[in-house]
Short mmCIF file of all heavy atoms in Angstrom, two decimals:
data_model
loop_
_atom_site.label_atom_id
_atom_site.label_comp_id
_atom_site.label_asym_id
_atom_site.label_seq_id
_atom_site.Cartn_x
_atom_site.Cartn_y
_atom_site.Cartn_z
N LEU A 135 -1.99 33.99 231.82
CA LEU A 135 -0.72 33.47 231.30
C LEU A 135 -0.87 32.01 230.90
O LEU A 135 -0.34 31.57 229.86
CB LEU A 135 0.37 33.62 232.35
CG LEU A 135 0.84 35.06 232.60
CD1 LEU A 135 1.61 35.15 233.91
CD2 LEU A 135 1.69 35.56 231.45
N SER A 136 -1.59 31.24 231.72
CA SER A 136 -1.79 29.83 231.40
C SER A 136 -2.63 29.68 230.13
O SER A 136 -2.35 28.82 229.28
CB SER A 136 -2.48 29.13 232.58
OG SER A 136 -2.47 27.74 232.42
N LEU A 137 -3.66 30.53 229.97
CA LEU A 137 -4.47 30.49 228.76
C LEU A 137 -3.64 30.83 227.53
O LEU A 137 -3.75 30.17 226.49
CB LEU A 137 -5.64 31.46 228.88
CG LEU A 137 -6.47 31.68 227.61
CD1 LEU A 137 -7.13 30.39 227.15
CD2 LEU A 137 -7.51 32.78 227.80
N LEU A 138 -2.80 31.86 227.64
CA LEU A 138 -1.96 32.24 226.49
C LEU A 138 -1.02 31.10 226.11
O LEU A 138 -0.85 30.79 224.92
CB LEU A 138 -1.16 33.50 226.82
CG LEU A 138 -0.21 33.98 225.72
CD1 LEU A 138 -0.96 34.27 224.43
CD2 LEU A 138 0.56 35.21 226.19
N ALA A 139 -0.43 30.44 227.11
CA ALA A 139 0.44 29.29 226.82
C ALA A 139 -0.36 28.17 226.17
O ALA A 139 0.13 27.48 225.26
CB ALA A 139 1.10 28.80 228.11
N ALA A 140 -1.61 27.97 226.61
CA ALA A 140 -2.46 26.93 226.03
C ALA A 140 -2.77 27.23 224.56
O ALA A 140 -2.73 26.33 223.70
CB ALA A 140 -3.76 26.82 226.82
N ILE A 141 -3.07 28.50 224.26
CA ILE A 141 -3.34 28.89 222.87
C ILE A 141 -2.09 28.65 222.02
O ILE A 141 -2.17 28.13 220.90
CB ILE A 141 -3.78 30.36 222.80
CG1 ILE A 141 -5.18 30.51 223.42
CG2 ILE A 141 -3.79 30.88 221.37
CD1 ILE A 141 -5.63 31.95 223.60
N GLY A 142 -0.94 29.03 222.56
CA GLY A 142 0.30 28.78 221.85
C GLY A 142 0.55 27.30 221.61
O GLY A 142 1.00 26.89 220.52
N ALA A 143 0.23 26.47 222.61
CA ALA A 143 0.41 25.02 222.46
C ALA A 143 -0.50 24.46 221.38
O ALA A 143 -0.10 23.59 220.60
CB ALA A 143 0.14 24.33 223.80
N LEU A 144 -1.73 24.96 221.29
CA LEU A 144 -2.65 24.51 220.25
C LEU A 144 -2.16 24.91 218.86
O LEU A 144 -2.25 24.12 217.91
CB LEU A 144 -4.05 25.07 220.49
CG LEU A 144 -4.84 24.45 221.64
CD1 LEU A 144 -6.09 25.27 221.91
CD2 LEU A 144 -5.22 23.02 221.33
N LEU A 145 -1.65 26.13 218.74
CA LEU A 145 -1.12 26.57 217.45
C LEU A 145 0.10 25.73 217.04
O LEU A 145 0.26 25.36 215.87
CB LEU A 145 -0.75 28.05 217.50
CG LEU A 145 -1.93 29.02 217.61
CD1 LEU A 145 -1.45 30.43 217.90
CD2 LEU A 145 -2.76 29.00 216.32
N ALA A 146 0.97 25.44 218.04
CA ALA A 146 2.14 24.61 217.75
C ALA A 146 1.71 23.18 217.40
O ALA A 146 2.29 22.56 216.48
CB ALA A 146 3.08 24.61 218.96
N ALA A 147 0.69 22.67 218.10
CA ALA A 147 0.20 21.32 217.82
C ALA A 147 -0.42 21.25 216.42
O ALA A 147 -0.26 20.24 215.71
CB ALA A 147 -0.81 20.90 218.87
N ARG A 148 -1.10 22.31 216.02
CA ARG A 148 -1.66 22.36 214.66
C ARG A 148 -0.54 22.23 213.63
O ARG A 148 -0.64 21.43 212.69
CB ARG A 148 -2.40 23.68 214.46
CG ARG A 148 -2.80 23.95 213.02
CD ARG A 148 -3.14 25.43 212.81
NE ARG A 148 -4.49 25.74 213.23
CZ ARG A 148 -5.00 26.98 213.26
NH1 ARG A 148 -4.22 28.00 212.92
NH2 ARG A 148 -6.23 27.20 213.64
N ARG A 149 0.54 22.99 213.80
CA ARG A 149 1.66 22.92 212.86
C ARG A 149 2.36 21.56 212.93
O ARG A 149 2.81 21.02 211.92
CB ARG A 149 2.65 24.04 213.15
CG ARG A 149 3.81 24.08 212.18
CD ARG A 149 4.56 25.38 212.26
NE ARG A 149 5.69 25.41 211.35
CZ ARG A 149 5.61 25.64 210.05
NH1 ARG A 149 4.42 25.87 209.51
NH2 ARG A 149 6.68 25.65 209.28
N TYR A 150 2.44 21.01 214.13
CA TYR A 150 3.06 19.69 214.32
C TYR A 150 2.31 18.62 213.55
O TYR A 150 2.91 17.74 212.91
CB TYR A 150 3.07 19.39 215.81
CG TYR A 150 3.86 18.17 216.24
CD1 TYR A 150 5.15 17.94 215.78
CD2 TYR A 150 3.30 17.26 217.14
CE1 TYR A 150 5.87 16.83 216.20
CE2 TYR A 150 4.01 16.16 217.57
CZ TYR A 150 5.30 15.94 217.10
OH TYR A 150 6.02 14.85 217.52
N LEU A 151 1.00 18.69 213.57
CA LEU A 151 0.18 17.73 212.81
C LEU A 151 0.31 17.94 211.30
O LEU A 151 0.30 16.99 210.52
CB LEU A 151 -1.28 17.86 213.22
CG LEU A 151 -1.63 17.33 214.62
CD1 LEU A 151 -3.00 17.81 215.04
CD2 LEU A 151 -1.56 15.81 214.67
N GLU A 152 0.45 19.20 210.87
CA GLU A 152 0.55 19.50 209.45
C GLU A 152 1.89 19.08 208.86
O GLU A 152 1.95 18.61 207.72
CB GLU A 152 0.36 21.00 209.21
CG GLU A 152 -1.06 21.50 209.44
CD GLU A 152 -1.14 23.01 209.34
OE1 GLU A 152 -0.06 23.67 209.29
OE2 GLU A 152 -2.25 23.55 209.31
N THR A 153 2.97 19.26 209.64
CA THR A 153 4.31 19.12 209.06
C THR A 153 5.15 18.00 209.66
O THR A 153 6.18 17.65 209.09
CB THR A 153 5.08 20.44 209.25
OG1 THR A 153 5.27 20.67 210.66
CG2 THR A 153 4.32 21.61 208.64
N ALA A 154 4.75 17.49 210.84
CA ALA A 154 5.57 16.50 211.58
C ALA A 154 6.94 17.08 211.91
O ALA A 154 7.92 16.33 212.08
CB ALA A 154 5.71 15.21 210.78
N SER A 155 7.01 18.39 212.05
CA SER A 155 8.28 19.06 212.34
C SER A 155 8.67 18.86 213.80
O SER A 155 7.85 19.06 214.71
CB SER A 155 8.14 20.56 212.05
OG SER A 155 9.15 21.30 212.66
N SER A 156 9.92 18.48 214.03
CA SER A 156 10.41 18.29 215.40
C SER A 156 10.35 19.60 216.19
O SER A 156 10.02 19.60 217.38
CB SER A 156 11.84 17.76 215.39
OG SER A 156 11.90 16.49 214.80
N SER A 157 10.67 20.71 215.52
CA SER A 157 10.64 22.01 216.22
C SER A 157 9.23 22.34 216.69
O SER A 157 9.05 22.87 217.80
CB SER A 157 11.17 23.11 215.30
OG SER A 157 10.38 23.22 214.13
N ALA A 158 8.22 22.03 215.88
CA ALA A 158 6.83 22.26 216.31
C ALA A 158 6.47 21.36 217.47
O ALA A 158 5.74 21.76 218.39
CB ALA A 158 5.89 22.05 215.14
N GLY A 159 6.94 20.11 217.47
CA GLY A 159 6.69 19.20 218.58
C GLY A 159 7.35 19.68 219.85
O GLY A 159 6.75 19.62 220.95
N ILE A 160 8.58 20.17 219.74
CA ILE A 160 9.28 20.71 220.92
C ILE A 160 8.55 21.93 221.46
O ILE A 160 8.35 22.08 222.68
CB ILE A 160 10.74 21.05 220.56
CG1 ILE A 160 11.52 19.77 220.28
CG2 ILE A 160 11.41 21.86 221.67
CD1 ILE A 160 12.89 19.99 219.68
N ALA A 161 8.12 22.82 220.56
CA ALA A 161 7.37 24.01 220.98
C ALA A 161 6.08 23.62 221.68
O ALA A 161 5.70 24.24 222.69
CB ALA A 161 7.07 24.89 219.77
N THR A 162 5.39 22.61 221.18
CA THR A 162 4.15 22.14 221.82
C THR A 162 4.43 21.70 223.25
O THR A 162 3.71 22.09 224.19
CB THR A 162 3.55 20.96 221.03
OG1 THR A 162 3.29 21.38 219.69
CG2 THR A 162 2.26 20.48 221.67
N GLY A 163 5.48 20.91 223.44
CA GLY A 163 5.82 20.44 224.78
C GLY A 163 6.21 21.56 225.72
O GLY A 163 5.79 21.59 226.89
N LEU A 164 7.01 22.50 225.23
CA LEU A 164 7.45 23.62 226.08
C LEU A 164 6.28 24.51 226.49
O LEU A 164 6.19 24.96 227.64
CB LEU A 164 8.50 24.45 225.35
CG LEU A 164 9.86 23.77 225.11
CD1 LEU A 164 10.77 24.67 224.29
CD2 LEU A 164 10.54 23.40 226.43
N LEU A 165 5.36 24.75 225.55
CA LEU A 165 4.20 25.59 225.86
C LEU A 165 3.24 24.88 226.81
O LEU A 165 2.62 25.53 227.67
CB LEU A 165 3.51 26.00 224.57
CG LEU A 165 4.27 27.06 223.76
CD1 LEU A 165 3.78 27.11 222.32
CD2 LEU A 165 4.15 28.42 224.41
N LEU A 166 3.11 23.58 226.67
CA LEU A 166 2.28 22.83 227.63
C LEU A 166 2.90 22.89 229.02
O LEU A 166 2.18 23.02 230.03
CB LEU A 166 2.13 21.39 227.17
CG LEU A 166 1.20 21.16 225.97
CD1 LEU A 166 1.28 19.72 225.50
CD2 LEU A 166 -0.25 21.51 226.33
N ALA A 167 4.23 22.78 229.10
CA ALA A 167 4.90 22.89 230.40
C ALA A 167 4.67 24.27 231.00
O ALA A 167 4.43 24.41 232.21
CB ALA A 167 6.39 22.62 230.23
N ALA A 168 4.75 25.33 230.17
CA ALA A 168 4.49 26.68 230.66
C ALA A 168 3.06 26.81 231.18
O ALA A 168 2.81 27.43 232.21
CB ALA A 168 4.74 27.69 229.54
N CYS A 169 2.12 26.20 230.47
CA CYS A 169 0.72 26.23 230.89
C CYS A 169 0.57 25.62 232.29
O CYS A 169 -0.12 26.17 233.15
CB CYS A 169 -0.12 25.46 229.87
SG CYS A 169 -1.89 25.55 230.15
N VAL A 170 1.25 24.51 232.53
CA VAL A 170 1.21 23.86 233.84
C VAL A 170 1.89 24.72 234.89
O VAL A 170 1.38 24.89 236.02
CB VAL A 170 1.88 22.47 233.77
CG1 VAL A 170 1.98 21.86 235.16
CG2 VAL A 170 1.10 21.55 232.84
N LEU A 171 3.05 25.29 234.56
CA LEU A 171 3.80 26.07 235.54
C LEU A 171 3.08 27.35 235.95
O LEU A 171 3.28 27.86 237.04
CB LEU A 171 5.18 26.41 234.98
CG LEU A 171 6.18 25.24 234.94
CD1 LEU A 171 7.45 25.65 234.20
CD2 LEU A 171 6.53 24.77 236.35
N PHE A 172 2.23 27.88 235.06
CA PHE A 172 1.47 29.07 235.42
C PHE A 172 0.23 28.73 236.24
O PHE A 172 -0.13 29.47 237.15
CB PHE A 172 1.07 29.85 234.17
CG PHE A 172 2.20 30.62 233.55
CD1 PHE A 172 2.52 30.47 232.21
CD2 PHE A 172 2.94 31.50 234.31
CE1 PHE A 172 3.56 31.18 231.64
CE2 PHE A 172 4.00 32.23 233.75
CZ PHE A 172 4.30 32.06 232.41
N LYS A 173 -0.44 27.63 235.93
CA LYS A 173 -1.62 27.24 236.72
C LYS A 173 -1.84 25.75 236.55
O LYS A 173 -2.17 25.29 235.45
CB LYS A 173 -2.85 28.03 236.28
CG LYS A 173 -4.02 27.86 237.25
CD LYS A 173 -5.19 28.78 236.94
CE LYS A 173 -6.26 28.63 238.02
NZ LYS A 173 -7.48 29.41 237.73
N GLN A 174 -1.71 25.02 237.65
CA GLN A 174 -1.65 23.57 237.53
C GLN A 174 -2.96 22.93 237.06
O GLN A 174 -2.93 21.98 236.27
CB GLN A 174 -1.18 22.93 238.84
CG GLN A 174 -1.95 23.28 240.10
CD GLN A 174 -1.27 24.38 240.90
OE1 GLN A 174 -0.93 25.42 240.36
NE2 GLN A 174 -1.10 24.15 242.21
N ASN A 175 -4.12 23.43 237.50
CA ASN A 175 -5.35 22.78 237.06
C ASN A 175 -5.64 23.08 235.58
O ASN A 175 -6.09 22.22 234.84
CB ASN A 175 -6.53 23.19 237.96
CG ASN A 175 -6.85 24.67 237.88
OD1 ASN A 175 -5.96 25.49 237.69
ND2 ASN A 175 -8.12 25.02 238.04
N TYR A 176 -5.36 24.32 235.13
CA TYR A 176 -5.49 24.61 233.71
C TYR A 176 -4.54 23.72 232.91
O TYR A 176 -4.91 23.19 231.85
CB TYR A 176 -5.12 26.07 233.43
CG TYR A 176 -6.21 27.08 233.71
CD1 TYR A 176 -7.31 26.78 234.51
CD2 TYR A 176 -6.15 28.36 233.17
CE1 TYR A 176 -8.28 27.71 234.77
CE2 TYR A 176 -7.12 29.31 233.42
CZ TYR A 176 -8.19 28.99 234.22
OH TYR A 176 -9.16 29.92 234.47
N GLY A 177 -3.32 23.58 233.41
CA GLY A 177 -2.34 22.77 232.70
C GLY A 177 -2.80 21.34 232.53
O GLY A 177 -2.62 20.76 231.44
N ALA A 178 -3.39 20.77 233.57
CA ALA A 178 -3.87 19.38 233.47
C ALA A 178 -4.97 19.26 232.41
O ALA A 178 -4.99 18.30 231.63
CB ALA A 178 -4.39 18.92 234.83
N LEU A 179 -5.89 20.24 232.38
CA LEU A 179 -6.98 20.20 231.40
C LEU A 179 -6.46 20.38 229.97
O LEU A 179 -6.93 19.71 229.04
CB LEU A 179 -7.99 21.30 231.72
CG LEU A 179 -8.74 21.15 233.06
CD1 LEU A 179 -9.51 22.42 233.40
CD2 LEU A 179 -9.67 19.95 233.02
N VAL A 180 -5.48 21.26 229.80
CA VAL A 180 -4.93 21.49 228.46
C VAL A 180 -4.11 20.29 228.01
O VAL A 180 -4.17 19.90 226.83
CB VAL A 180 -4.10 22.78 228.44
CG1 VAL A 180 -3.44 22.98 227.08
CG2 VAL A 180 -4.97 23.99 228.78
N LEU A 181 -3.36 19.69 228.90
CA LEU A 181 -2.61 18.48 228.57
C LEU A 181 -3.55 17.39 228.05
O LEU A 181 -3.27 16.74 227.04
CB LEU A 181 -1.85 17.96 229.80
CG LEU A 181 -0.49 18.57 230.09
CD1 LEU A 181 0.00 18.11 231.46
CD2 LEU A 181 0.52 18.17 229.03
N LEU A 182 -4.67 17.22 228.74
CA LEU A 182 -5.64 16.21 228.33
C LEU A 182 -6.23 16.55 226.96
O LEU A 182 -6.33 15.68 226.08
CB LEU A 182 -6.75 16.12 229.38
CG LEU A 182 -7.89 15.14 229.07
CD1 LEU A 182 -7.36 13.72 228.88
CD2 LEU A 182 -8.94 15.17 230.19
N SER A 183 -6.60 17.81 226.75
CA SER A 183 -7.26 18.18 225.48
C SER A 183 -6.28 18.08 224.31
O SER A 183 -6.67 17.62 223.22
CB SER A 183 -7.83 19.60 225.58
OG SER A 183 -6.82 20.58 225.64
N VAL A 184 -5.02 18.48 224.49
CA VAL A 184 -4.05 18.38 223.40
C VAL A 184 -3.74 16.92 223.10
O VAL A 184 -3.59 16.53 221.93
CB VAL A 184 -2.77 19.16 223.74
CG1 VAL A 184 -1.67 18.87 222.72
CG2 VAL A 184 -3.07 20.67 223.77
N THR A 185 -3.67 16.10 224.13
CA THR A 185 -3.46 14.66 223.92
C THR A 185 -4.59 14.07 223.08
O THR A 185 -4.35 13.32 222.12
CB THR A 185 -3.35 13.93 225.26
OG1 THR A 185 -2.26 14.46 226.01
CG2 THR A 185 -3.14 12.44 225.06
N ILE A 186 -5.82 14.43 223.43
CA ILE A 186 -6.98 13.96 222.66
C ILE A 186 -6.87 14.44 221.21
O ILE A 186 -7.10 13.69 220.26
CB ILE A 186 -8.29 14.46 223.30
CG1 ILE A 186 -8.52 13.76 224.65
CG2 ILE A 186 -9.48 14.21 222.37
CD1 ILE A 186 -9.67 14.35 225.45
N GLY A 187 -6.53 15.73 221.04
CA GLY A 187 -6.44 16.29 219.70
C GLY A 187 -5.38 15.64 218.84
O GLY A 187 -5.60 15.37 217.66
N LEU A 188 -4.21 15.35 219.43
CA LEU A 188 -3.15 14.71 218.66
C LEU A 188 -3.53 13.29 218.24
O LEU A 188 -3.32 12.89 217.09
CB LEU A 188 -1.86 14.68 219.48
CG LEU A 188 -1.17 16.04 219.71
CD1 LEU A 188 0.03 15.87 220.63
CD2 LEU A 188 -0.75 16.66 218.38
N ILE A 189 -4.10 12.54 219.16
CA ILE A 189 -4.48 11.16 218.84
C ILE A 189 -5.61 11.14 217.81
O ILE A 189 -5.58 10.37 216.84
CB ILE A 189 -4.89 10.41 220.12
CG1 ILE A 189 -3.67 10.23 221.04
CG2 ILE A 189 -5.50 9.06 219.78
CD1 ILE A 189 -4.01 9.64 222.40
N TRP A 190 -6.60 12.01 218.00
CA TRP A 190 -7.77 12.04 217.13
C TRP A 190 -7.40 12.46 215.70
O TRP A 190 -7.97 11.99 214.72
CB TRP A 190 -8.78 13.02 217.71
CG TRP A 190 -10.18 12.86 217.19
CD1 TRP A 190 -10.63 11.98 216.25
CD2 TRP A 190 -11.32 13.63 217.59
NE1 TRP A 190 -11.97 12.14 216.04
CE2 TRP A 190 -12.42 13.15 216.84
CE3 TRP A 190 -11.51 14.67 218.49
CZ2 TRP A 190 -13.69 13.69 216.98
CZ3 TRP A 190 -12.77 15.20 218.64
CH2 TRP A 190 -13.86 14.71 217.89
N ASN A 191 -6.40 13.33 215.58
CA ASN A 191 -6.03 13.86 214.27
C ASN A 191 -4.92 13.08 213.58
O ASN A 191 -4.57 13.40 212.44
CB ASN A 191 -5.56 15.31 214.42
CG ASN A 191 -6.72 16.29 214.51
OD1 ASN A 191 -7.54 16.36 213.62
ND2 ASN A 191 -6.76 17.04 215.60
N ARG A 192 -4.39 12.10 214.23
CA ARG A 192 -3.21 11.41 213.69
C ARG A 192 -3.43 10.89 212.28
O ARG A 192 -2.59 11.07 211.38
CB ARG A 192 -2.83 10.28 214.64
CG ARG A 192 -1.61 9.48 214.20
CD ARG A 192 -1.26 8.44 215.25
NE ARG A 192 -0.36 7.44 214.70
CZ ARG A 192 -0.54 6.15 214.75
NH1 ARG A 192 -1.62 5.64 215.35
NH2 ARG A 192 0.34 5.31 214.23
N ARG A 193 -4.55 10.26 212.02
CA ARG A 193 -4.79 9.65 210.69
C ARG A 193 -4.99 10.68 209.60
O ARG A 193 -4.84 10.37 208.42
CB ARG A 193 -6.00 8.72 210.77
CG ARG A 193 -5.75 7.49 211.61
CD ARG A 193 -6.93 6.55 211.55
NE ARG A 193 -6.70 5.34 212.34
CZ ARG A 193 -7.58 4.35 212.46
NH1 ARG A 193 -8.76 4.43 211.85
NH2 ARG A 193 -7.29 3.29 213.19
N ASP A 194 -5.36 11.91 209.98
CA ASP A 194 -5.56 12.98 209.00
C ASP A 194 -4.37 13.93 208.94
O ASP A 194 -4.50 15.07 208.47
CB ASP A 194 -6.80 13.81 209.35
CG ASP A 194 -8.07 13.20 208.74
OD1 ASP A 194 -7.94 12.41 207.79
OD2 ASP A 194 -9.15 13.52 209.23
#
Side-chain angles (χ1 to χ4, degrees):
L135 289 164
S136 191
L137 171 62
L138 178 58
I141 290 171
L144 286 170
L145 291 170
R148 170 197 278 174
R149 183 165 179 79
Y150 189 47
L151 288 166
E152 290 174 349
T153 65
S155 163
S156 296
S157 60
I160 292 170
T162 302
L164 292 176
L165 287 163
L166 287 172
C169 187
V170 173
L171 286 172
F172 284 127
K173 192 172 184 185
Q174 54 262 51
N175 64 327
Y176 279 18
L179 295 169
V180 176
L181 275 171
L182 178 59
S183 69
V184 170
T185 300
I186 291 171
L188 290 175
I189 293 173
W190 198 359
N191 279 302
R192 180 176 164 232
R193 292 185 179 180
D194 272 341

